[in-house]
Amino acid sequence: MRAESSAIAPTRIAVSTAEPQGRGRTSGTLMAALGVTAFSLTFPATAWGLEGFGPWSLVAVRSVLAALIAGGCLLALRVPVPERRHWAGLAVVAAGVVVGFPMLTTLALQTSTTAHAAVVVGLLPLTTALFSALRTGTRPSRTFWAAALAGAAVVAAFTVQQSGGALSTADVYLFGALLVCAAGYTEGGRLARIMPGWQVIGWALVLCLPVAVPAAAVALSYEPVRLTAHSVAGVLWVAAGSQFLGLVVWYRGMAAIGIPKASQLQLAQPLLTLVWSVLLLGEHLTVAAPLTAAAVLVCIAVTQRARG
């Protein structure tokens, strides 16, 4: 999931006040929908990757491959290196989005189902909104806070019920992933006012490369690797699809149809992940999973409306 991922994505987009027309609107909607679809496949792809890679190897190899793709695009397009004053913010993005979220969700998926993880991480848009409010000093309406707290309560009740009355280790990892990713998204949102959003994630990936390469070498030497069709497809998807290319089409879609309309499409991401968990992994959903995901979707829709 964007990680990858995936929730209220930070971006700098010149949104016109005019309503997009005809082909532009259709193309933009398609692009944004492709981005959401890419993010919704993150958890199933991670589960596939874990069939052949250890958790540390999977995250390190994923970061290396994504950084090479991003670095190649930045180099090919001759994108100038960000100013020194922006690198601290990029480090926060890298720590939260590139390293923290993939690592914590990967550890969680060793013992949690993708359906369960999708419901918990469905809170990411709300968590990001809360971090953004704290970071920017904005004061959302009471309706916003009520919906955000309701969504959090629903997911908390779901996790406790699914874990037999107490939070499991996987739940602790997932809630930690929510916090670090929301922090990364919030800082990325600030930077995305200065540079295009895809460049923010691109430079954050490149920033991790000097650490990711030796980390991959060490992890691969300690964790056994069993290359299968599933494991290879999984690691390639989370690296190229979730971590980079999904963000590219997502940002292009938002540029065409505007942030509010695109964000409405992303509300379906947890439900899409539930579908993939059944089709690709053969998981059996409890009644509580889709109901909780739908309740969170309603809460997020209310917060989006309350924020205007």
Side-chain angles (χ1 to χ4, degrees), residues 255-299:
I257 65 175
I259 296 173
K261 290 185 181 297
S263 64
Q264 296 302 310
L265 293 175
Q266 201 167 29
L267 299 181
Q269 185 174 320
L271 294 174
L272 280 175
T273 299
L274 295 182
V275 173
W276 296 129
S277 70
V278 173
L279 296 180
L280 299 179
L281 303 176
E283 292 184 1
H284 298 285
L285 300 182
T286 63
V287 176
L291 290 179
T292 303
V296 171
L297 188 154
V298 171
C299 292

mmCIF file of all heavy atoms in Angstrom, residues 255-299:
data_model
loop_
_atom_site.group_PDB
_atom_site.id
_atom_site.type_symbol
_atom_site.label_atom_id
_atom_site.label_comp_id
_atom_site.label_asym_id
_atom_site.label_seq_id
_atom_site.Cartn_x
_atom_site.Cartn_y
_atom_site.Cartn_z
ATOM 1 N N ALA A 255 -3.174 16.581 -11.209
ATOM 2 C CA ALA A 255 -2.937 17.807 -11.956
ATOM 3 C C ALA A 255 -4.056 18.057 -12.958
ATOM 4 O O ALA A 255 -4.402 19.201 -13.237
ATOM 5 C CB ALA A 255 -1.589 17.721 -12.679
ATOM 6 N N ALA A 256 -4.626 16.981 -13.476
ATOM 7 C CA ALA A 256 -5.652 17.115 -14.515
ATOM 8 C C ALA A 256 -7.040 17.376 -13.952
ATOM 9 O O ALA A 256 -7.800 18.179 -14.497
ATOM 10 C CB ALA A 256 -5.672 15.865 -15.398
ATOM 11 N N ILE A 257 -7.405 16.699 -12.861
ATOM 12 C CA ILE A 257 -8.781 16.805 -12.362
ATOM 13 C C ILE A 257 -8.884 17.540 -11.042
ATOM 14 O O ILE A 257 -9.991 17.810 -10.566
ATOM 15 C CB ILE A 257 -9.433 15.406 -12.222
ATOM 16 C CG1 ILE A 257 -8.732 14.569 -11.144
ATOM 17 C CG2 ILE A 257 -9.441 14.685 -13.549
ATOM 18 C CD1 ILE A 257 -9.408 13.226 -10.885
ATOM 19 N N GLY A 258 -7.756 17.862 -10.428
ATOM 20 C CA GLY A 258 -7.768 18.582 -9.162
ATOM 21 C C GLY A 258 -7.683 17.655 -7.972
ATOM 22 O O GLY A 258 -8.094 16.488 -8.028
ATOM 23 N N ILE A 259 -7.117 18.168 -6.890
ATOM 24 C CA ILE A 259 -6.891 17.363 -5.691
ATOM 25 C C ILE A 259 -8.189 16.847 -5.071
ATOM 26 O O ILE A 259 -8.281 15.668 -4.723
ATOM 27 C CB ILE A 259 -6.076 18.169 -4.661
ATOM 28 C CG1 ILE A 259 -4.684 18.465 -5.232
ATOM 29 C CG2 ILE A 259 -5.938 17.404 -3.347
ATOM 30 C CD1 ILE A 259 -3.861 19.395 -4.373
ATOM 31 N N PRO A 260 -9.234 17.686 -4.911
ATOM 32 C CA PRO A 260 -10.454 17.168 -4.261
ATOM 33 C C PRO A 260 -11.067 15.970 -4.978
ATOM 34 O O PRO A 260 -11.437 14.985 -4.345
ATOM 35 C CB PRO A 260 -11.389 18.388 -4.286
ATOM 36 C CG PRO A 260 -10.480 19.566 -4.336
ATOM 37 C CD PRO A 260 -9.337 19.133 -5.196
ATOM 38 N N LYS A 261 -11.177 16.055 -6.311
ATOM 39 C CA LYS A 261 -11.786 14.946 -7.056
ATOM 40 C C LYS A 261 -10.916 13.692 -7.004
ATOM 41 O O LYS A 261 -11.414 12.573 -6.875
ATOM 42 C CB LYS A 261 -12.026 15.359 -8.510
ATOM 43 C CG LYS A 261 -13.131 16.406 -8.681
ATOM 44 C CD LYS A 261 -13.397 16.679 -10.139
ATOM 45 C CE LYS A 261 -14.472 17.742 -10.308
ATOM 46 N NZ LYS A 261 -15.768 17.308 -9.757
ATOM 47 N N ALA A 262 -9.592 13.875 -7.114
ATOM 48 C CA ALA A 262 -8.698 12.723 -7.075
ATOM 49 C C ALA A 262 -8.725 12.052 -5.707
ATOM 50 O O ALA A 262 -8.712 10.819 -5.604
ATOM 51 C CB ALA A 262 -7.277 13.158 -7.430
ATOM 52 N N SER A 263 -8.772 12.847 -4.641
ATOM 53 C CA SER A 263 -8.764 12.270 -3.307
ATOM 54 C C SER A 263 -10.013 11.433 -3.053
ATOM 55 O O SER A 263 -9.974 10.464 -2.288
ATOM 56 C CB SER A 263 -8.650 13.374 -2.252
ATOM 57 O OG SER A 263 -9.786 14.209 -2.277
ATOM 58 N N GLN A 264 -11.121 11.781 -3.694
ATOM 59 C CA GLN A 264 -12.327 10.978 -3.547
ATOM 60 C C GLN A 264 -12.123 9.573 -4.114
ATOM 61 O O GLN A 264 -12.640 8.590 -3.583
ATOM 62 C CB GLN A 264 -13.513 11.651 -4.249
ATOM 63 C CG GLN A 264 -13.911 12.989 -3.646
ATOM 64 C CD GLN A 264 -14.264 12.895 -2.182
ATOM 65 O OE1 GLN A 264 -15.056 12.038 -1.798
ATOM 66 N NE2 GLN A 264 -13.672 13.739 -1.352
ATOM 67 N N LEU A 265 -11.347 9.470 -5.201
ATOM 68 C CA LEU A 265 -11.061 8.151 -5.773
ATOM 69 C C LEU A 265 -10.251 7.301 -4.800
ATOM 70 O O LEU A 265 -10.433 6.085 -4.711
ATOM 71 C CB LEU A 265 -10.278 8.302 -7.084
ATOM 72 C CG LEU A 265 -11.018 8.943 -8.260
ATOM 73 C CD1 LEU A 265 -10.062 9.138 -9.435
ATOM 74 C CD2 LEU A 265 -12.204 8.093 -8.687
ATOM 75 N N GLN A 266 -9.359 7.941 -4.051
ATOM 76 C CA GLN A 266 -8.480 7.187 -3.158
ATOM 77 C C GLN A 266 -9.212 6.617 -1.949
ATOM 78 O O GLN A 266 -8.685 5.750 -1.259
ATOM 79 C CB GLN A 266 -7.318 8.065 -2.697
ATOM 80 C CG GLN A 266 -6.128 7.255 -2.208
ATOM 81 C CD GLN A 266 -4.890 8.094 -2.050
ATOM 82 O OE1 GLN A 266 -4.972 9.289 -1.781
ATOM 83 N NE2 GLN A 266 -3.732 7.481 -2.203
ATOM 84 N N LEU A 267 -10.423 7.082 -1.713
ATOM 85 C CA LEU A 267 -11.195 6.539 -0.605
ATOM 86 C C LEU A 267 -11.487 5.048 -0.796
ATOM 87 O O LEU A 267 -11.739 4.327 0.168
ATOM 88 C CB LEU A 267 -12.515 7.302 -0.459
ATOM 89 C CG LEU A 267 -12.417 8.800 -0.168
ATOM 90 C CD1 LEU A 267 -13.798 9.410 -0.031
ATOM 91 C CD2 LEU A 267 -11.594 9.061 1.074
ATOM 92 N N ALA A 268 -11.435 4.590 -2.037
ATOM 93 C CA ALA A 268 -11.737 3.184 -2.322
ATOM 94 C C ALA A 268 -10.538 2.266 -2.117
ATOM 95 O O ALA A 268 -10.675 1.042 -2.249
ATOM 96 C CB ALA A 268 -12.244 3.041 -3.758
ATOM 97 N N GLN A 269 -9.374 2.826 -1.787
ATOM 98 C CA GLN A 269 -8.154 2.018 -1.738
ATOM 99 C C GLN A 269 -8.221 0.850 -0.742
ATOM 100 O O GLN A 269 -7.871 -0.287 -1.109
ATOM 101 C CB GLN A 269 -6.952 2.913 -1.426
ATOM 102 C CG GLN A 269 -5.613 2.185 -1.483
ATOM 103 C CD GLN A 269 -4.448 3.151 -1.319
ATOM 104 O OE1 GLN A 269 -4.477 4.254 -1.868
ATOM 105 N NE2 GLN A 269 -3.457 2.757 -0.551
ATOM 106 N N PRO A 270 -8.656 1.050 0.516
ATOM 107 C CA PRO A 270 -8.722 -0.105 1.423
ATOM 108 C C PRO A 270 -9.660 -1.205 0.923
ATOM 109 O O PRO A 270 -9.357 -2.392 1.063
ATOM 110 C CB PRO A 270 -9.239 0.516 2.735
ATOM 111 C CG PRO A 270 -8.869 1.950 2.658
ATOM 112 C CD PRO A 270 -8.999 2.312 1.203
ATOM 113 N N LEU A 271 -10.782 -0.801 0.339
ATOM 114 C CA LEU A 271 -11.716 -1.803 -0.176
ATOM 115 C C LEU A 271 -11.113 -2.559 -1.347
ATOM 116 O O LEU A 271 -11.306 -3.777 -1.489
ATOM 117 C CB LEU A 271 -13.025 -1.133 -0.588
ATOM 118 C CG LEU A 271 -13.844 -0.524 0.558
ATOM 119 C CD1 LEU A 271 -15.041 0.240 0.002
ATOM 120 C CD2 LEU A 271 -14.311 -1.610 1.519
ATOM 121 N N LEU A 272 -10.356 -1.863 -2.215
ATOM 122 C CA LEU A 272 -9.673 -2.540 -3.318
ATOM 123 C C LEU A 272 -8.663 -3.554 -2.788
ATOM 124 O O LEU A 272 -8.525 -4.665 -3.325
ATOM 125 C CB LEU A 272 -8.967 -1.527 -4.214
ATOM 126 C CG LEU A 272 -9.817 -0.775 -5.240
ATOM 127 C CD1 LEU A 272 -8.979 0.282 -5.951
ATOM 128 C CD2 LEU A 272 -10.412 -1.746 -6.257
ATOM 129 N N THR A 273 -7.930 -3.173 -1.735
ATOM 130 C CA THR A 273 -6.951 -4.100 -1.163
ATOM 131 C C THR A 273 -7.633 -5.347 -0.623
ATOM 132 O O THR A 273 -7.102 -6.460 -0.742
ATOM 133 C CB THR A 273 -6.149 -3.408 -0.046
ATOM 134 O OG1 THR A 273 -5.443 -2.285 -0.588
ATOM 135 C CG2 THR A 273 -5.125 -4.367 0.559
ATOM 136 N N LEU A 274 -8.811 -5.185 -0.038
ATOM 137 C CA LEU A 274 -9.560 -6.357 0.429
ATOM 138 C C LEU A 274 -9.894 -7.290 -0.729
ATOM 139 O O LEU A 274 -9.803 -8.512 -0.607
ATOM 140 C CB LEU A 274 -10.845 -5.915 1.134
ATOM 141 C CG LEU A 274 -10.709 -5.125 2.444
ATOM 142 C CD1 LEU A 274 -12.084 -4.812 3.010
ATOM 143 C CD2 LEU A 274 -9.871 -5.878 3.448
ATOM 144 N N VAL A 275 -10.271 -6.707 -1.863
ATOM 145 C CA VAL A 275 -10.583 -7.523 -3.045
ATOM 146 C C VAL A 275 -9.340 -8.277 -3.507
ATOM 147 O O VAL A 275 -9.386 -9.480 -3.789
ATOM 148 C CB VAL A 275 -11.132 -6.636 -4.179
ATOM 149 C CG1 VAL A 275 -11.292 -7.451 -5.463
ATOM 150 C CG2 VAL A 275 -12.469 -6.022 -3.777
ATOM 151 N N TRP A 276 -8.199 -7.567 -3.579
ATOM 152 C CA TRP A 276 -6.961 -8.224 -4.009
ATOM 153 C C TRP A 276 -6.546 -9.332 -3.046
ATOM 154 O O TRP A 276 -6.002 -10.360 -3.455
ATOM 155 C CB TRP A 276 -5.824 -7.212 -4.135
ATOM 156 C CG TRP A 276 -6.002 -6.154 -5.173
ATOM 157 C CD1 TRP A 276 -5.866 -4.804 -5.015
ATOM 158 C CD2 TRP A 276 -6.335 -6.333 -6.560
ATOM 159 N NE1 TRP A 276 -6.100 -4.136 -6.184
ATOM 160 C CE2 TRP A 276 -6.390 -5.051 -7.155
ATOM 161 C CE3 TRP A 276 -6.606 -7.454 -7.343
ATOM 162 C CZ2 TRP A 276 -6.700 -4.867 -8.498
ATOM 163 C CZ3 TRP A 276 -6.925 -7.272 -8.678
ATOM 164 C CH2 TRP A 276 -6.955 -6.002 -9.242
ATOM 165 N N SER A 277 -6.780 -9.120 -1.754
ATOM 166 C CA SER A 277 -6.381 -10.134 -0.774
ATOM 167 C C SER A 277 -7.133 -11.440 -0.990
ATOM 168 O O SER A 277 -6.608 -12.523 -0.736
ATOM 169 C CB SER A 277 -6.610 -9.616 0.648
ATOM 170 O OG SER A 277 -7.987 -9.524 0.944
ATOM 171 N N VAL A 278 -8.365 -11.328 -1.481
ATOM 172 C CA VAL A 278 -9.150 -12.528 -1.774
ATOM 173 C C VAL A 278 -8.726 -13.138 -3.105
ATOM 174 O O VAL A 278 -8.481 -14.349 -3.212
ATOM 175 C CB VAL A 278 -10.663 -12.193 -1.799
ATOM 176 C CG1 VAL A 278 -11.466 -13.398 -2.267
ATOM 177 C CG2 VAL A 278 -11.123 -11.749 -0.419
ATOM 178 N N LEU A 279 -8.606 -12.312 -4.145
ATOM 179 C CA LEU A 279 -8.311 -12.817 -5.489
ATOM 180 C C LEU A 279 -6.883 -13.334 -5.625
ATOM 181 O O LEU A 279 -6.648 -14.365 -6.271
ATOM 182 C CB LEU A 279 -8.560 -11.709 -6.522
ATOM 183 C CG LEU A 279 -10.003 -11.214 -6.664
ATOM 184 C CD1 LEU A 279 -10.087 -10.117 -7.713
ATOM 185 C CD2 LEU A 279 -10.942 -12.373 -7.021
ATOM 186 N N LEU A 280 -5.899 -12.630 -5.051
ATOM 187 C CA LEU A 280 -4.492 -12.976 -5.253
ATOM 188 C C LEU A 280 -3.931 -13.876 -4.155
ATOM 189 O O LEU A 280 -3.017 -14.663 -4.413
ATOM 190 C CB LEU A 280 -3.642 -11.702 -5.339
ATOM 191 C CG LEU A 280 -3.982 -10.745 -6.486
ATOM 192 C CD1 LEU A 280 -3.075 -9.511 -6.434
ATOM 193 C CD2 LEU A 280 -3.859 -11.444 -7.837
ATOM 194 N N LEU A 281 -4.457 -13.737 -2.939
ATOM 195 C CA LEU A 281 -3.884 -14.479 -1.816
ATOM 196 C C LEU A 281 -4.822 -15.542 -1.267
ATOM 197 O O LEU A 281 -4.416 -16.347 -0.426
ATOM 198 C CB LEU A 281 -3.508 -13.507 -0.685
ATOM 199 C CG LEU A 281 -2.539 -12.385 -1.063
ATOM 200 C CD1 LEU A 281 -2.340 -11.439 0.115
ATOM 201 C CD2 LEU A 281 -1.206 -12.945 -1.524
ATOM 202 N N GLY A 282 -6.077 -15.530 -1.720
ATOM 203 C CA GLY A 282 -7.028 -16.526 -1.244
ATOM 204 C C GLY A 282 -7.432 -16.350 0.200
ATOM 205 O O GLY A 282 -7.845 -17.318 0.859
ATOM 206 N N GLU A 283 -7.318 -15.120 0.724
ATOM 207 C CA GLU A 283 -7.705 -14.884 2.111
ATOM 208 C C GLU A 283 -9.229 -14.911 2.252
ATOM 209 O O GLU A 283 -9.958 -14.588 1.317
ATOM 210 C CB GLU A 283 -7.165 -13.532 2.590
ATOM 211 C CG GLU A 283 -5.650 -13.498 2.714
ATOM 212 C CD GLU A 283 -5.156 -12.175 3.282
ATOM 213 O OE1 GLU A 283 -5.990 -11.307 3.593
ATOM 214 O OE2 GLU A 283 -3.923 -12.012 3.422
ATOM 215 N N HIS A 284 -9.678 -15.291 3.434
ATOM 216 C CA HIS A 284 -11.110 -15.323 3.722
ATOM 217 C C HIS A 284 -11.433 -14.133 4.627
ATOM 218 O O HIS A 284 -10.888 -14.014 5.729
ATOM 219 C CB HIS A 284 -11.506 -16.632 4.401
ATOM 220 C CG HIS A 284 -11.250 -17.846 3.552
ATOM 221 N ND1 HIS A 284 -12.058 -18.182 2.482
ATOM 222 C CD2 HIS A 284 -10.265 -18.776 3.587
ATOM 223 C CE1 HIS A 284 -11.600 -19.286 1.913
ATOM 224 N NE2 HIS A 284 -10.496 -19.659 2.561
ATOM 225 N N LEU A 285 -12.309 -13.269 4.160
ATOM 226 C CA LEU A 285 -12.642 -12.068 4.914
ATOM 227 C C LEU A 285 -13.692 -12.357 5.974
ATOM 228 O O LEU A 285 -14.644 -13.098 5.731
ATOM 229 C CB LEU A 285 -13.170 -10.979 3.977
ATOM 230 C CG LEU A 285 -12.245 -10.497 2.860
ATOM 231 C CD1 LEU A 285 -12.936 -9.390 2.069
ATOM 232 C CD2 LEU A 285 -10.926 -10.010 3.420
ATOM 233 N N THR A 286 -13.504 -11.779 7.140
ATOM 234 C CA THR A 286 -14.565 -11.784 8.129
ATOM 235 C C THR A 286 -15.556 -10.678 7.761
ATOM 236 O O THR A 286 -15.229 -9.755 7.014
ATOM 237 C CB THR A 286 -14.006 -11.504 9.537
ATOM 238 O OG1 THR A 286 -13.428 -10.187 9.560
ATOM 239 C CG2 THR A 286 -12.940 -12.527 9.901
ATOM 240 N N VAL A 287 -16.737 -10.758 8.278
ATOM 241 C CA VAL A 287 -17.747 -9.740 7.991
ATOM 242 C C VAL A 287 -17.286 -8.373 8.484
ATOM 243 O O VAL A 287 -17.566 -7.333 7.877
ATOM 244 C CB VAL A 287 -19.097 -10.115 8.650
ATOM 245 C CG1 VAL A 287 -20.120 -9.011 8.448
ATOM 246 C CG2 VAL A 287 -19.610 -11.429 8.075
ATOM 247 N N ALA A 288 -16.496 -8.368 9.569
ATOM 248 C CA ALA A 288 -16.072 -7.106 10.179
ATOM 249 C C ALA A 288 -15.133 -6.312 9.272
ATOM 250 O O ALA A 288 -15.135 -5.073 9.311
ATOM 251 C CB ALA A 288 -15.379 -7.377 11.512
ATOM 252 N N ALA A 289 -14.336 -6.994 8.448
ATOM 253 C CA ALA A 289 -13.333 -6.288 7.642
ATOM 254 C C ALA A 289 -13.948 -5.325 6.628
ATOM 255 O O ALA A 289 -13.640 -4.126 6.644
ATOM 256 C CB ALA A 289 -12.414 -7.297 6.948
ATOM 257 N N PRO A 290 -14.811 -5.800 5.713
ATOM 258 C CA PRO A 290 -15.394 -4.847 4.756
ATOM 259 C C PRO A 290 -16.291 -3.813 5.418
ATOM 260 O O PRO A 290 -16.358 -2.667 4.974
ATOM 261 C CB PRO A 290 -16.184 -5.741 3.797
ATOM 262 C CG PRO A 290 -16.424 -7.005 4.529
ATOM 263 C CD PRO A 290 -15.250 -7.182 5.433
ATOM 264 N N LEU A 291 -16.983 -4.204 6.502
ATOM 265 C CA LEU A 291 -17.839 -3.251 7.194
ATOM 266 C C LEU A 291 -17.014 -2.131 7.833
ATOM 267 O O LEU A 291 -17.381 -0.951 7.771
ATOM 268 C CB LEU A 291 -18.673 -3.953 8.256
ATOM 269 C CG LEU A 291 -19.789 -4.885 7.756
ATOM 270 C CD1 LEU A 291 -20.514 -5.544 8.923
ATOM 271 C CD2 LEU A 291 -20.769 -4.114 6.881
ATOM 272 N N THR A 292 -15.890 -2.506 8.436
ATOM 273 C CA THR A 292 -15.025 -1.498 9.045
ATOM 274 C C THR A 292 -14.406 -0.609 7.989
ATOM 275 O O THR A 292 -14.328 0.617 8.151
ATOM 276 C CB THR A 292 -13.917 -2.173 9.869
ATOM 277 O OG1 THR A 292 -14.505 -3.028 10.853
ATOM 278 C CG2 THR A 292 -13.041 -1.137 10.565
ATOM 279 N N ALA A 293 -13.965 -1.215 6.873
ATOM 280 C CA ALA A 293 -13.380 -0.422 5.791
ATOM 281 C C ALA A 293 -14.400 0.567 5.237
ATOM 282 O O ALA A 293 -14.066 1.726 4.948
ATOM 283 C CB ALA A 293 -12.882 -1.345 4.672
ATOM 284 N N ALA A 294 -15.642 0.127 5.102
ATOM 285 C CA ALA A 294 -16.686 1.017 4.598
ATOM 286 C C ALA A 294 -16.958 2.149 5.584
ATOM 287 O O ALA A 294 -17.167 3.304 5.190
ATOM 288 C CB ALA A 294 -17.965 0.229 4.335
ATOM 289 N N ALA A 295 -16.938 1.837 6.885
ATOM 290 C CA ALA A 295 -17.157 2.869 7.901
ATOM 291 C C ALA A 295 -16.042 3.902 7.882
ATOM 292 O O ALA A 295 -16.291 5.112 7.999
ATOM 293 C CB ALA A 295 -17.258 2.228 9.285
ATOM 294 N N VAL A 296 -14.800 3.438 7.727
ATOM 295 C CA VAL A 296 -13.670 4.358 7.634
ATOM 296 C C VAL A 296 -13.802 5.222 6.388
ATOM 297 O O VAL A 296 -13.512 6.433 6.405
ATOM 298 C CB VAL A 296 -12.335 3.581 7.630
ATOM 299 C CG1 VAL A 296 -11.168 4.514 7.308
ATOM 300 C CG2 VAL A 296 -12.110 2.905 8.970
ATOM 301 N N LEU A 297 -14.248 4.618 5.274
ATOM 302 C CA LEU A 297 -14.446 5.373 4.040
ATOM 303 C C LEU A 297 -15.426 6.520 4.262
ATOM 304 O O LEU A 297 -15.189 7.649 3.815
ATOM 305 C CB LEU A 297 -14.955 4.428 2.946
ATOM 306 C CG LEU A 297 -15.049 4.964 1.518
ATOM 307 C CD1 LEU A 297 -14.929 3.807 0.526
ATOM 308 C CD2 LEU A 297 -16.373 5.691 1.271
ATOM 309 N N VAL A 298 -16.515 6.233 4.970
ATOM 310 C CA VAL A 298 -17.506 7.278 5.246
ATOM 311 C C VAL A 298 -16.893 8.386 6.098
ATOM 312 O O VAL A 298 -17.089 9.583 5.834
ATOM 313 C CB VAL A 298 -18.737 6.680 5.947
ATOM 314 C CG1 VAL A 298 -19.676 7.785 6.429
ATOM 315 C CG2 VAL A 298 -19.479 5.743 5.006
ATOM 316 N N CYS A 299 -16.125 8.005 7.112
ATOM 317 C CA CYS A 299 -15.488 9.006 7.984
ATOM 318 C C CYS A 299 -14.530 9.894 7.200
ATOM 319 O O CYS A 299 -14.474 11.110 7.390
ATOM 320 C CB CYS A 299 -14.768 8.317 9.137
ATOM 321 S SG CYS A 299 -15.857 7.496 10.322
#
